[in-house]
Amino acid sequence: MTKARDIMTRDPACVRTSDTALDAAKRMAELGVGALPICGEDNRLKGMLTDRDIVVEVLAEGKDPRAVRAGDLAQGEAVTIGADDDADEIFRTMSRHQVRRLPVIDGHDLVGIVAQADVARALDDPQVGDLLEAISR
């Protein structure tokens, strides 16, 4: 069975809790991604930050993106997956939490990111439609 470590993007870039929303947005644009893990100064995962978070929580609220810190946008504990969890478990976790990207943890270390497309490639054809439907509600 395919494991998270087999399909993840390794060594993901992070934004620090102390980085501004503007720094995070520039980093996302530079990397061509719509989400980045938020890592503390201790290199531990603190949450996930999406481009939507920046738009809704910062810009739409009239806040200055140079003043809002990424750590201020981390909401609760991040939904994660273990490096040795299989594609079915990743599917269930994405569906349950309706997320398109999952940080992959090995012990306490962030080792990768699994995206919806990664999982879709690892699942049987009938399951792919189920994944897309479950996440898109």
Side-chain angles (χ1 to χ4, degrees):
M1 181 60 93
T2 303
K3 307 261 185 220
R5 71 174 70 250
D6 300 325
I7 60 173
M8 69 185 185
T9 299
R10 297 179 184 282
D11 302 319
C14 286
V15 292
R16 297 282 173 207
T17 53
S18 58
D19 289 342
T20 67
L22 181 61
D23 295 332
K26 287 180 178 180
R27 186 78 190 261
M28 286 180 196
E30 174 185 302
L31 296 171
V33 299
L36 287 170
I38 302 170
C39 297
E41 304 310 317
D42 58 359
N43 288 324
R44 296 274 172 104
L45 180 68
K46 304 297 183 189
M48 287 291 289
L49 181 63
T50 66
D51 48 8
R52 185 177 191 284
D53 294 331
I54 294 170
V55 169
V56 172
E57 302 294 326
V58 180
L59 300 178
E61 294 289 324
K63 297 176 184 172
D64 182 352
R66 293 170 297 200
V68 176
R69 301 285 171 209
D72 298 335
L73 298 171
Q75 299 174 356
E77 192 170 325
V79 178
T80 63
I81 198 78
D84 291 318
D85 288 342
D86 64 34
D88 289 332
E89 178 60 25
I90 300 167
F91 166 78
R92 285 190 296 274
T93 302
M94 284 182 163
S95 298
R96 185 175 333 122
H97 296 281
Q98 294 193 327
V99 294
R100 290 179 167 82
R101 299 166 200 89
L102 285 171
V104 180
I105 304 295
D106 192 1
H108 293 289
D109 298 326
L110 175 66
V111 295
I113 297 284
V114 172
Q116 177 181 354
D118 300 325
V119 180
R121 284 189 292 270
L123 294 172
D124 295 330
D125 285 341
Q127 290 178 296
V128 173
D130 293 341
L131 173 67
L132 297 175
E133 181 181 338
I135 293 174
S136 300
R137 290 185 194 163

